[in-house]
Amino acid sequence: MAKHKTPLLDQLESGPWPSFVSDLKHQAEVRAKNEEGIEFQIPQDCVEDLLGVLELSYKHGRTHWKHGGIVGVFGYGGGVIGRYCDQPALFPGVEHFHTMRVSQPAGKYYTTEYLRNIMKLWDLRGSGVTNMHGSTGDIILLGTTTPQLEEIFYELTHNLNQDLGGSGSNLRTPADCLGSSRCEYACYDSQALCHFLTNEYQDELHRPAFPYKFKFKFDACPNGCVASIARSDMSFIGTWKDDIQIDQDAVNKYVENDSAYPSNAGAHKNRDWGPFDIQKEVINLCPTGCMSFENKQLTIDNANCTRCMHCINTMPRALKPGKEKGCSILCGAKAPILDGAQMGSLLVPFVEVNPDNDYQAITEVIENIWDWWMEEGNNRERLGELIMRQGFQRLLEVTGIKAAPQHVQYPRTNPYIFWKEEEVPGGWERDVEEYRKHHLR
Amino acid sequence: MAFISSGYNPDKPMEDRITDIGPRKYDEFYPSVIAKNKGKWSHHEILEAGVIVHVAESGDEVYTVRVGGCRLMTTTHLEEICQIADKHCDGHVRFTTRNNVEFMVDSKDKVEPLKNDLASRIFSGGSQKFPIGGTGAGITNIVHTQGWIHCHTPATDASGTVKATMDEVFEDFQSMRLPAKLRISMACCLNMCGAVHCSDIAILGYHRKPPMLDHEYLDKICEIPLAIKACPTAAIRPAKTKLADGTEVKTVAVKNERCMFCGNCYTMCPSMPLADTEGDGIVLMAGGKVSNRISHPKFSKVVVAFIPNDMPRWPSMTDAIKKMINAYSNGANKYERLGDWAERIGWEKFFEVCELDFSHHLIDDFRQQAYMSWRQSTQFKF
């Protein structure tokens, strides 16, 4: 018998999509029965109360969670978010119901052994409710009490070789696509780079020293499956410099509509779009018009290719990215708070992704940017906003990167150039009396 | 319940302390076919909605069955995922960025038993536990934020609006009939921890009333200068006021007509709550993308200024979303993303074919970037 009546939430149990309400109810029952005899370290009925408080929000149209409090584990400034219910008398099981962020493995592959260890810990010391995963990428453990925080951290680090993730004004847990582990488009090993930088910058991740949050995300090709260009202060997007690799025989298999060569790898299978037409679907849609197909021969003017991936996505058995691979780095993406949304702006058109020298070319860019942002950034100013305030040219200066036409969509439309004194012959100090000798007052 | 110690000694927090060890290394968790063929994949094919085969240069194959997952997930449900992974996938499983779950097997004959097992599992309330789909030119899972389940700033619920929407568009989760992929994202307030601003369709929670002022507590709980500085439109200034008992307290005053309801002040000062039953609701945005394919990545545009919170299933919201999807599906060319289609036909036609009202709220008036969105041309459609 449920502790609280939830007539509104009950209506979210029907329909085909997995119901989080059914899952929570099931969880509440499992905890109530406790067939495994767990000595729950937080209230056994917390999931009942979680459903109860959510139902109240559905009734009121308002949240019933208070502002986070300052809780955490010793020595870290992130990884735990305090959460308290604003109706503790009605829902005592969730009066204190803090979140812990657990740093996820790159690529989000798991063994069941690992997952079960996390679950066992979380059933004992928390609500058993999780997010797989949070928006930034962490495993989110949703709901425990203050005395359990250190206990959970101790067990994570001592028994599971596992650390917390980031929150607050620090490096947030970096996240990546699955990259070369299972994708032929990958231009670099996004997991290796993500894992390396996560470990390299553990101090920045755990101890807030930044003006505000800072996010890294890693897309191994321009298709951008983890949306790094929209949601990370520094976005690392795989690309290549040389020619797209072409298998002409395979191109012709696509042209002949060979069933072993479905266009778009079969992504449009459930509607009849007619037979594949290379002219209409590839050549004419190429954004730079740099392709042609004549006499069974596909030609690409690679010098004019902008590597949008369309032709490769459309004929994946025939075309592959080039061999000289690396990544582009874009900076400053963020959601609208405060000065409006930004996407990442291209800073480094191409950089090698080289694990053999600990990705030196990349860490150098990162550290130059951090030095500038930590020095000049205002409280709660994201990198994108600092770039807006001080100018993209300043970003080039601090990173020592030479301006190039690749940095802009088009050159400026106003002539208000902030010339520097040293750029103008003779400098700015002049003698007005000398001037007046030739120009009467 | 008796307290069980982990071994941690609160009197000596630094004793045996382990810190800064980071996440587990990714390759500890690779299925063997992945470990063997990493970096040597030749090509892939989506065999049917939710089922993908990747073929390695070695000739090895990995079959992935993708299922929709709730981001909000209990250990009971995770245990079931583990049981399936143990039974079919040698104890391995993967999650995607969009909260899907991927079960991988290394030969074709293992696919049907896995699919049948997944499809047979139903929640007691009738919904599917592991619906197969979310690939190709269809609608995959909605990435979303926390909502009323666990956050202090939301203007709507996240899990509920997502469940309501996915139920309505479920057919397109299990099919690939659209002109291109269509990504829906959900953020329950303007903080957008889900960063939905570049999605084909974005569901966004929004407040419409300026903050209330809890004068009696404001100066005790908040740093007044931080609250003032938090306001992007400089609508907040320091003030003094007399409480009912005659005591004068320091507080703030808000110029309400300058408030854009972002809630940034509330983030800095808990004595300035915005949440309101009538004031809060949903903004719909459309036409964004993050991929560089064919066209550049682009921002989503506000296409519905406000929809009231209508729990538990937000029917006006799902109705507007379905109208957009249907008009897009009928009108767009193959490969055209929703935003590319809207730009080709013109946004004036977009509102017509989607049967959405246009109102003054949809014309940008936020800072100089607003100008870029007005029409500086005589080219338009009647």
Side-chain angles (χ1 to χ4, degrees), chain A residues 17 27 58 67 191 281 339, chain B residues 30 76 157 266 335 367:
Chain A
W17 188 252
Q27 175 84 349
Y58 270 62
H67 238 268
Q191 277 150 63
E281 299 187 39
D339 284 336
Chain B
Y30 284 161
T76 306
D157 189 36
Y266 180 59
Y335 303 111
R367 306 205 169 148

Side-chain angles (χ1 to χ4, degrees), chain A residues 91-130:
Chain A
F91 309 106
V94 294
E95 179 173 2
H96 310 263
F97 210 60
H98 310 318
T99 300
M100 297 187 87
R101 294 186 181 167
V102 177
S103 196
Q104 85 289 358
K108 299 191 178 85
Y109 289 90
Y110 293 102
T111 57
T112 53
E113 183 198 0
Y114 170 85
L115 286 176
R116 285 205 173 95
N117 282 332
I118 292 276
M119 286 150 56
K120 195 176 164 202
L121 168 62
W122 191 232
D123 281 333
L124 174 69
R125 301 195 178 275
S127 67
V129 180
T130 78

Side-chain angles (χ1 to χ4, degrees), chain A residues 145-162:
Chain A
T145 57
T146 308
Q148 292 303 315
L149 298 174
E150 287 289 357
E151 307 296 329
I152 292 167
F153 181 68
Y154 189 95
E155 290 206 36
L156 282 175
T157 51
H158 285 76
N159 307 335
L160 296 179
N161 187 24
Q162 172 66 59

Side-chain angles (χ1 to χ4, degrees), chain A residues 8 11-20 23 27 39-41 58 60-63 65-67 74 76 83 97 99 104 106-112 116 119 123 125 128 130-133 135 142 150-151 153-155 157-158 160-163 178 180-182 184-185 189 191-192 195 199 202 206-207 222-223 226 230-231 262 264-271 281 285 287 308 310 313-314 317 320 334-336 338-339 343 380 409, chain B residues 1-4 6 8 14 16-26 29-30 34 38-39 41-47 54 64 68 70-77 79 82 85-86 91-95 97 99 102 104 125 127-128 131 137 141 144 146 148-152 157 159-160 163 166-167 170 175-177 179 190-193 195 197 264 266-268 277 291-294 296-299 311-313 329 334-335 367:
Chain A
L8 290 166
Q11 296 174 55
L12 288 171
E13 289 200 87
S14 57
W17 188 252
S19 168
F20 68 98
D23 185 19
Q27 175 84 349
E39 271 200 78
F40 295 116
Q41 298 292 293
Y58 270 62
H60 288 161
R62 301 186 302 270
T63 190
W65 297 99
K66 287 194 219 179
H67 238 268
F74 190 79
Y76 279 9
R83 191 62 72 209
F97 210 60
T99 300
Q104 85 289 358
K108 299 191 178 85
Y109 289 90
Y110 293 102
T111 57
T112 53
R116 285 205 173 95
M119 286 150 56
D123 281 333
R125 301 195 178 275
T130 78
N131 289 152
M132 297 295 290
H133 298 73
S135 301
L142 213 68
E150 287 289 357
E151 307 296 329
F153 181 68
Y154 189 95
E155 290 206 36
T157 51
H158 285 76
L160 296 179
N161 187 24
Q162 172 66 59
D163 209 336
L178 59 58
S180 53
S181 72
R182 204 195 64 199
E184 68 271 24
Y185 299 152
D189 186 346
Q191 277 150 63
H195 187 75
N199 284 305
Q202 281 288 296
H206 295 303
R207 296 170 194 89
N223 280 328
V226 296
R231 57 195 199 115
N264 307 294
H268 291 74
K269 269 183 186 164
N270 297 119
R271 192 197 291 199
E281 299 187 39
L285 289 180
C308 84
H310 175 63
N313 289 334
T314 309
R317 293 193 73 169
K320 304 251 179 288
K334 56 180 278 292
L338 286 170
D339 284 336
M343 263 188 263
R380 301 188 78 231
Q409 297 275 6
Chain B
M1 60 192 177
F3 183 83
I4 299 175
S6 61
Y8 171 72
M14 291 312 290
D16 299 331
R17 198 166 188 84
I18 298 174
T19 66
D20 299 85
I21 56 173
R24 290 281 285 267
K25 188 143 186 272
Y26 49 91
F29 299 136
Y30 284 161
I34 296 290
K38 182 174 177 178
W41 294 101
S42 161
H43 60 276
H44 73 284
E45 182 183 344
I46 305 172
L47 299 171
H54 285 83
T64 301
C70 292
R71 164 184 146 132
L72 185 68
M73 186 177 280
T74 71
T75 48
T76 306
H77 194 63
E79 172 55 33
C82 288
D86 283 345
H92 293 271
V93 65
R94 177 179 179 265
F95 289 79
T97 305
N99 307 121
E102 291 186 338
M104 282 166 266
S127 67
Q128 299 185 27
N141 203 346
H144 65 92
Q146 211 65 276
W148 289 332
I149 195 84
H150 211 232
C151 185
H152 63 293
D157 189 36
S159 298
K163 163 71 175 156
M166 285 309 294
D167 278 344
F170 188 71
S175 156
M176 302 183 288
R177 63 162 191 123
L190 198 55
N191 278 314
M192 285 194 193
C193 49
H197 55 290
N264 205 41
Y266 180 59
T267 297
M268 298 309 288
T277 305
S291 157
N292 288 276
R293 186 176 186 174
I294 303 177
H296 291 186
K298 53 184 117 207
F299 289 123
M311 292 73 76
R313 281 194 170 267
S329 177
K334 190 178 179 186
Y335 303 111
R367 306 205 169 148

